[in-house]
Amino acid sequence: MGRFIKLAAVLTAAACVSAPFSAYAENEENGMVEIGFRIGDDTILINGESVEVEPPYVAGDGVTLVPVRVITEAFGAEVRWNDTENSVTVVYADVELKMWIGSTVAEENGRAVTLEYPPEITDGYHTMAPLRFISESFGATVQYDEATGYIYVTNIDNGEFDGSILETHDEPYVGDSYYGWRMENPSGMYMGYRSENGSYTSFYYNDNSISIKVEDRPVHFDIDRAFVANKASVTGYSMALVSADKKDGKLSYHARGKKTHAYTDIYVTDRYLITVSCNIYDDEQASGEMLRLMNSFTASYNGDGTYDIAELTDGKRKCELEDINFTVLIPPSWSALSGDEAVNSFSFGELDSEYDIGSTMMVEVFSKRDRNVQSASWLAAHDLTINRSIANPELCAFSSLTPRTYTGFSAFEYTDAMSGGDEGDCLMRDVFFDMGDYVYNVSLYMRSGESDADIDEILNSIEVSAPDASKLGTLLRTSYDLNSNTYVSETNELRITLPYSFEKASYSFSEYADYLDALTKANLSYLGRSNYEDLDDFKDHISSMPRRSEIIKPAAEEIIGDKACFTVTYRLDGSYWEYYSIGIKDGYIDFIVEYPEMYYSDVCRERVRGIIASIEYIK
Amino acid sequence: MKAKRIMAAAVAAALLAASAAAYADDVRVYVNGARVEGEVKLEDGTTYIPLRAVSEAMGADVVWDGASRSVFVSFTEDDALAKLVEDVGPSVVSIVGNYTGNTSEAAKYNNSTAHGSGVIYKSNGYIITNEHVVSDIKNLTVILYDGTSVPGEVLFSDKASDLAIVKINRIGLRPISFADYSTVFPGSTAIAIGAPLSLTMRNTVTRGIISGTDVPVGDEYYKFIQTDAAINGGNSGGPLLNTKGELVGINTRGYVGIGIESLSFAIPVDTVQFVINQYDTNGRIVRADFDMTLEQSWEAKVGVPTKKGLTVKTSGISELKAGDVITAVNGIEVHSIADWNEALKDTFNGSTATVTYTRGTDNIEAVIGSE
């Protein structure tokens, strides 16, 4: 049709564009704009108000075109028309869009953008452009309501997402509120390692290190002796006593050792022995900085401006076992003893500096579907029966099965008070409760003089809920019973019939352990062949046993099964030992059984006698 | 209405006279996507452009010597690269956050931060980066070219492709252009921009060449572009570009080791495009998940070229049995698991696939999956 018509159309469109549409631009509140329209409708909703427009339509390959001016002005954008270029420019916040009629190349902030469909003019004066280009450039979202056929274009206010402040710890001090210490926290210092129960912490500052070790205060602490002992323990350091004080019955002691490139400070407080050590490079500035850090250390805690690394809740350590929906507050000196791979058996307890275990707690979870589990009351009764029969009656006193309600759950439990043994007193409580498809068994062994109230506190702190069986799966319990089936174990010398709970030991902390009973923890070992003339010969052999042993049953001749044996029973270091020499065709084969003192009863002995009776020498 | 039309006609007539003198064909000039302002004339089939503006847009140097009425335009490769970096810079971001992968007390105290790079691909705040850059971090913050920090949200992430989409609340950003993957070939120049090792090196540039395309790497799901452009720690998620400043890949991994030099990988732009399209269309990646396990030949595992196909190890599909050897899927030959993944990435229709396989001496074609 020629340029004339086109120009005319453009100019009339320009005439329309120049009239501002302020009617609804003012309806924006907080920059929120919502535009709703349907393809083909000649009215659209702008922030709820109905406005007459040129109907939006779909062109090309499903491209929705909308009246440019209306849409952009609804956002509060400025719209400008350029006659010469046949282009429309829309400015909104940081965005300048420029579109040319009939061209798929548009611009956003001066950079080329390819449109899905070229803007065009309808009816002589309405400029229509692709909805997507405009809405995306303005940061608006487009939603299509299938039910009503409405398209909603919404401009959410340009608020920021929450919480994007990077966390840093820049308190001037760092300290441990549980063990009671505090020191400066220079920026650039980072933590190298912290033990589970927090008794050992190390930091790095530049290339130097500083470590803080906390141990229990020595029982009989004498300042002079301590100083001498410290000097001996930190060889190579020149020690100086910095301060030693006893005020109001409260002891404080601080000694410092120095050698080239290192300082050691020893503090004794009313509860702990704290050793602070640092290693420095012989660099003027580093030396000065580390010395300052050492000097800033105090063996007491002050919360002002201090980042507390003792992760305690109400003075207790919180342990979460996510997979079994179980949380418990344990004493702060305890740590987790089971590893990350633990699935349904977790243990916590005290580990002293020599890695001896003090009080412990075990948490186990089993599926009720396991017929060795069935329910909390069934399992409790089962375990009580077994434990009662294998426990040493002289040392252990069992309660009966008791229903008990704790804060987080209702349970069945029994207790075992152990005393008089070499291992010291122990208060054991075995608690069983139902949770969904599972039975939970929490057992506590308190060896450090704790009371029933202490145990109650731990159990009452437990928060637990039924786990998702589809995620946790079936958890079976390895269960041994007293009347277990037996199996035959053959070596190149012997054939032995044992209950299934006696497993071939895969480790040996003693060179003699061959079989270990999972039920009673008894060790059965084969010592080899020997030749005794008679019982006296045997007695002579026995007399070479360790002096500290206490004979429980003197050496004697016995018939076990169909075999003539020499036997003796003695007690040593928290265990009972039974020595068996079984007569064979041309000599004797010797066995030794070690029973932990707690598990030594008629039932235990009978099981072993049964094994001894079955032994055959097959070589 | 009638009055307006008459007035319009009168105005139109007046303007027509004036417009004859103007250039009625509006030609626009863009250099690497950026509009160059100035008069452009089309005469007798030749386009006349504003010389200085266009040359300087390309990074060239323009010297006008009035006395001799001569213009000297000088241009080096370095100029081109410098201009490219200047143009593309605003599309590259750094991504930082607090690392949550370690829950020990030491990690909490140290507040370790992790960082990587990202590329803006839509002006309204859509950023593509590596999945491993955004996994295990909280307080995700995007640092723009001008140093502004903006909170970011992870919209989507996919471990198999190691890609993630991050959104920030900004408009008017400069998006990257995507290269056509068929134009990427070994030997062409590759430029990496990112923040290696530390944010003090934010938006620094390294350069190398494309060492290889369609490179399978270990057990990775898809194949990679190999480059010798130095790619280190914080470069992850940042762009690998061609000399036009177009995105050729997303920098992902450098092999570090004694004696290993200049060996880095980038996710090819077609995989990036695939992931973005899948997110836009489905909100997630719709991958073929047929009930069977496939095994590749030793040659495929080791990377030796082979004609051997994939052996079906286990099959829950009626059409296939253990022992069948698949040689093609949807018409594309497959010799490795990565081949299989790539073929389906390009052709999977969302529900079924046509597999060509041999069973014994028979060659069979079957459609697996359900509508």
Side-chain angles (χ1 to χ4, degrees):
Chain A
M1 276 285 231
R3 266 181 298 169
F4 178 79
I5 303 281
K6 196 170 162 200
L7 214 44
V10 157
L11 288 171
T12 48
C16 288
V17 162
S18 61
F21 261 70
S22 54
Y24 48 80
E26 280 161 18
N27 282 350
E28 298 162 30
E29 282 170 21
N30 312 318
M32 259 289 286
V33 178
E34 188 185 70
I35 301 169
F37 62 88
R38 271 197 302 215
I39 303 293
D41 275 5
D42 58 4
T43 58
I44 69 173
L45 295 166
I46 297 179
N47 286 345
E49 261 198 50
S50 191
V51 177
E52 253 192 54
V53 292
E54 182 66 16
Y57 58 92
V58 177
D61 199 5
V63 181
T64 306
L65 297 180
V66 293
V68 173
R69 184 176 45 95
V70 169
I71 302 292
T72 54
E73 284 199 348
F75 283 96
E78 192 196 307
V79 186
R80 289 194 303 267
W81 181 259
N82 186 319
D83 315 344
T84 337
E85 287 184 357
N86 232 356
S87 71
V88 58
T89 303
V90 184
V91 180
Y92 171 70
D94 292 329
V95 181
E96 187 185 281
L97 301 180
K98 198 163 179 186
M99 291 171 275
W100 282 260
I101 303 297
S103 172
T104 50
V105 179
E107 281 173 25
E108 184 178 340
N109 290 347
R111 301 195 75 88
V113 174
T114 309
L115 301 177
E116 301 169 282
Y117 196 84
E120 53 192 27
I121 300 203
T122 58
D123 266 23
Y125 55 73
H126 290 106
T127 310
M128 310 294 282
L131 169 66
R132 198 219 273 238
F133 175 55
I134 298 168
S135 60
E136 278 189 358
S137 306
F138 286 179
T141 50
V142 179
Q143 272 157 324
Y144 178 59
D145 184 341
E146 266 195 54
T148 59
Y150 261 86
I151 298 172
Y152 292 100
V153 181
T154 331
N155 180 26
I156 299 150
D157 179 54
N158 278 343
E160 311 276 73
F161 297 118
D162 278 333
S164 168
I165 317 291
L166 286 178
E167 289 167 13
T168 51
H169 290 300
D170 49 11
E171 288 88 337
Y173 293 94
V174 60
D176 186 320
S177 60
Y178 174 67
Y179 291 113
W181 58 260
R182 182 203 203 214
M183 75 178 182
E184 264 179 29
N185 185 24
S187 75
M189 182 165 82
Y190 69 96
M191 194 184 288
Y193 175 74
R194 181 156 165 95
S195 67
E196 246 238 42
N197 63 1
S199 62
Y200 182 88
T201 316
S202 69
F203 293 93
Y204 286 94
Y205 185 44
N206 297 326
D207 287 320
N208 310 303
S209 65
I210 185 167
S211 69
I212 297 150
K213 181 163 79 161
V214 181
E215 294 162 284
D216 284 332
R217 202 189 97 155
V219 174
H220 303 292
F221 186 74
D222 172 275
I223 290 175
D224 294 322
R225 280 215 331 232
F227 186 61
V228 170
N230 289 161
K231 276 207 326 195
S233 70
V234 288
T235 51
Y237 289 77
S238 66
M239 289 288 298
L241 184 64
V242 177
S243 70
D245 238 315
K246 194 162 184 181
K247 249 190 264 181
D248 309 321
K250 256 203 164 153
L251 181 95
S252 70
Y253 168 96
H254 173 200
R256 165 166 290 178
K258 179 180 179 355
K259 71 175 181 185
T260 341
H261 306 145
Y263 287 100
T264 292
D265 277 342
I266 298 178
Y267 298 84
V268 177
T269 66
D270 53 349
R271 288 161 69 199
Y272 300 109
L273 170 71
I274 305 180
T275 311
V276 185
S277 311
C278 77
N279 287 302
I280 319 170
Y281 294 102
D282 195 12
D283 166 71
E284 277 289 332
Q285 194 193 345
S287 270
E289 279 170 352
M290 291 312 280
L291 189 56
R292 230 192 77 167
L293 200 52
M294 293 286 289
N295 288 341
S296 75
F297 185 92
T298 53
S300 64
Y301 182 76
N302 179 334
D304 288 336
T306 308
Y307 175 63
D308 187 4
I309 58 178
E311 292 182 288
L312 298 179
T313 315
D314 299 331
K316 301 260 180 221
R317 194 174 302 287
K318 190 174 189 184
C319 289
E320 273 183 61
L321 300 170
E322 276 182 6
D323 293 335
I324 59 170
N325 289 357
F326 184 96
T327 310
V328 62
L329 298 180
I330 59 176
S333 54
W334 287 22
S335 16
L337 300 175
S338 46
D340 286 332
E341 339 73 51
V343 171
N344 67 330
S345 177
F346 309 88
S347 48
F348 306 89
E350 281 177 307
L351 262 186
D352 71 11
S353 49
E354 264 109 64
Y355 292 98
D356 283 335
I357 300 181
S359 300
T360 56
M361 174 173 80
M362 251 185 97
V363 179
E364 292 183 300
V365 179
F366 309 107
S367 292
K368 283 185 185 161
R369 272 189 287 157
D370 182 348
R371 56 183 189 78
N372 292 319
V373 173
Q374 295 195 29
S375 71
S377 63
W378 188 95
L379 189 59
H382 169 270
D383 277 12
L384 174 56
T385 309
I386 294 201
N387 284 333
R388 205 185 242 144
S389 63
I390 62 175
N392 187 336
E394 284 170 40
L395 304 180
C396 303
F398 282 84
S399 73
S400 53
L401 192 61
T402 324
R404 176 85 187 263
T405 305
Y406 291 95
T407 312
F409 55 92
S410 298
F412 293 91
E413 66 178 37
Y414 65 89
T415 63
D416 176 19
M418 292 166 267
S419 60
D422 293 337
E423 297 291 304
D425 293 353
C426 178
L427 197 56
M428 187 272 250
R429 193 183 301 185
D430 214 357
V431 179
F432 301 78
F433 57 93
D434 295 303
M435 265 298 145
D437 296 332
Y438 300 92
V439 172
Y440 284 63
N441 177 210
V442 179
S443 1
L444 288 118
Y445 299 82
M446 306 303 249
R447 297 185 174 89
S448 310
E450 293 92 335
S451 65
D452 279 320
D454 293 320
I455 302 180
D456 288 345
E457 203 183 335
I458 295 175
L459 290 165
N460 279 324
S461 78
I462 292 173
E463 281 173 20
V464 61
S465 61
D468 184 350
S470 64
K471 286 206 186 109
L472 200 52
T474 308
L475 301 168
L476 298 175
R477 190 187 206 225
T478 316
S479 213
Y480 296 107
D481 280 307
L482 295 170
N483 42 346
S484 296
N485 293 329
T486 55
Y487 73 104
V488 176
S489 171
E490 230 175 76
T491 65
N492 53 1
E493 283 182 70
L494 309 166
R495 186 180 293 131
I496 312 178
T497 304
L498 308 127
Y500 269 107
S501 59
F502 273 84
E503 292 167 353
K504 198 91 175 70
S506 54
Y507 57 86
S508 43
F509 42 76
S510 135
E511 50 191 83
Y512 300 121
D514 284 337
Y515 299 94
L516 178 60
D517 185 16
L519 195 56
T520 64
K521 317 290 182 267
N523 283 334
L524 169 68
S525 312
Y526 173 53
L527 298 179
R529 289 193 52 158
S530 56
N531 282 306
Y532 305 112
E533 294 284 338
D534 54 24
L535 181 59
D536 286 327
D537 209 8
F538 179 75
K539 279 181 182 171
D540 283 341
H541 176 75
I542 294 305
S543 63
S544 67
M545 292 287 166
R547 282 295 132 210
R548 289 170 292 143
S549 59
E550 173 200 335
I551 303 285
I552 303 294
K553 193 163 89 61
E557 275 184 71
E558 270 191 69
I559 307 290
I560 300 179
D562 57 352
K563 300 172 176 55
C565 307
F566 295 133
T567 65
V568 65
T569 306
Y570 58 91
R571 178 175 155 166
L572 173 65
D573 286 340
S575 296
Y576 287 87
W577 301 81
E578 286 177 351
Y579 200 105
Y580 295 88
S581 285
I582 304 169
I584 54 174
K585 200 172 54 177
D586 50 356
Y588 291 86
I589 44 176
D590 288 2
F591 287 84
I592 196 160
V593 183
E594 182 192 355
Y595 303 85
E597 63 182 1
M598 253 179 46
Y599 295 115
Y600 188 61
S601 65
D602 290 337
V603 167
C604 296
R605 285 188 289 271
E606 276 314 305
R607 281 159 65 84
V608 166
R609 288 178 85 84
I611 296 170
I612 301 291
S614 78
I615 290 171
E616 286 168 48
Y617 193 65
I618 56 177
K619 201 162 175 184
Chain B
M1 205 46 191
K2 207 170 173 204
K4 232 180 182 175
R5 210 183 284 152
I6 292 168
M7 191 162 68
V11 168
L15 277 176
L16 234 192
S19 71
Y23 303 114
D25 296 78
D26 54 327
V27 178
R28 293 171 262 150
V29 180
Y30 297 94
V31 173
N32 284 338
R35 175 75 187 277
V36 180
E37 295 293 341
E39 278 180 30
V40 179
K41 204 161 51 155
L42 191 59
E43 235 174 60
D44 295 331
T46 305
T47 310
Y48 293 89
I49 58 169
L51 174 67
R52 179 181 292 276
V54 173
S55 305
E56 287 180 350
M58 294 179 66
D61 214 38
V62 181
V63 177
W64 165 253
D65 180 18
S68 62
R69 291 188 64 76
S70 312
V71 181
F72 299 93
V73 182
S74 54
F75 182 68
T76 64
E77 198 188 325
D78 278 359
D79 290 332
L81 286 175
K83 194 71 178 57
L84 180 160
V85 170
E86 197 189 301
D87 281 347
V88 170
S91 301
V92 183
V93 300
S94 292
I95 297 176
V96 299
N98 290 115
Y99 183 59
T100 60
N102 191 342
T103 52
S104 68
E105 179 59 41
K108 282 192 218 163
Y109 173 83
N110 293 334
N111 267 135
S112 13
T113 51
H115 82 272
S117 307
V119 191
I120 299 170
Y121 68 92
K122 264 164 101 160
S123 70
N124 55 341
Y126 285 81
I127 295 164
I128 192 96
T129 180
N130 282 143
E131 185 269 346
H132 73 262
V133 167
V134 300
S135 64
D136 292 333
I137 66 170
K138 61 174 180 175
N139 299 330
L140 191 152
T141 306
V142 173
I143 306 177
L144 302 174
Y145 182 67
D146 61 1
T148 325
S149 291
V150 184
E153 190 194 329
V154 177
L155 285 187
F156 168 77
S157 70
D158 175 51
K159 269 198 158 60
S161 59
D162 195 9
L163 289 171
I165 296 176
V166 172
K167 175 85 172 57
I168 57 173
N169 232 340
R170 279 278 191 277
I171 56 173
L173 298 170
R174 185 174 300 181
I176 202 81
S177 314
F178 286 73
D180 180 348
Y181 191 49
S182 61
T183 65
V184 179
F185 50 87
S188 43
T189 300
I191 293 152
I193 304 185
L197 302 184
S198 152
L199 289 172
T200 56
M201 291 179 253
R202 193 168 59 83
N203 276 43
T204 52
V205 185
T206 54
R207 181 178 111 165
I209 59 167
I210 303 284
S211 311
T213 56
D214 294 323
V215 179
V217 176
D219 285 330
E220 293 295 329
Y221 205 84
Y222 296 118
K223 297 183 188 170
F224 289 82
I225 289 173
Q226 183 187 321
T227 176
D228 66 347
I231 292 176
N232 290 289
N235 277 121
S236 280
L240 190 69
L241 309 154
N242 60 18
T243 48
K244 288 194 215 163
E246 294 171 328
L247 186 76
V248 151
I250 292 290
N251 300 322
T252 296
R253 191 165 283 108
Y255 268 109
V256 176
I258 300 168
I260 297 183
E261 300 237 341
S262 310
L263 201 66
S264 307
F265 296 97
I267 301 170
V269 63
D270 66 335
T271 306
V272 177
Q273 201 71 75
F274 166 73
V275 169
I276 292 174
N277 291 343
Q278 285 284 312
Y279 172 72
D280 283 345
T281 323
N282 304 316
R284 63 188 178 93
I285 303 198
V286 175
R287 285 205 171 89
D289 187 16
F290 300 116
D291 187 12
M292 61 177 178
T293 50
L294 300 175
E295 198 174 51
Q296 57 190 358
S297 63
W298 169 86
E299 287 87 342
K301 241 180 266 194
V302 166
V304 172
T306 174
K307 284 282 175 214
K308 292 185 188 166
L310 298 168
T311 313
V312 176
K313 238 171 78 169
T314 64
S315 168
I317 307 172
S318 53
E319 294 88 350
L320 292 169
K321 277 195 333 210
D324 292 342
V325 178
I326 297 177
T327 51
V329 62
N330 291 341
I332 302 170
E333 270 188 41
V334 290
H335 305 294
S336 69
I337 302 283
D339 282 347
W340 169 268
N341 293 335
E342 288 281 343
L344 284 170
K345 180 192 87 188
D346 293 335
T347 61
F348 186 50
N349 63 13
S351 44
T352 62
T354 309
V355 291
T356 315
Y357 63 98
T358 51
R359 181 179 294 169
T361 49
D362 299 326
N363 243 346
I364 311 167
E365 202 182 86
V367 175
I368 60 174
S370 47
E371 298 294 335

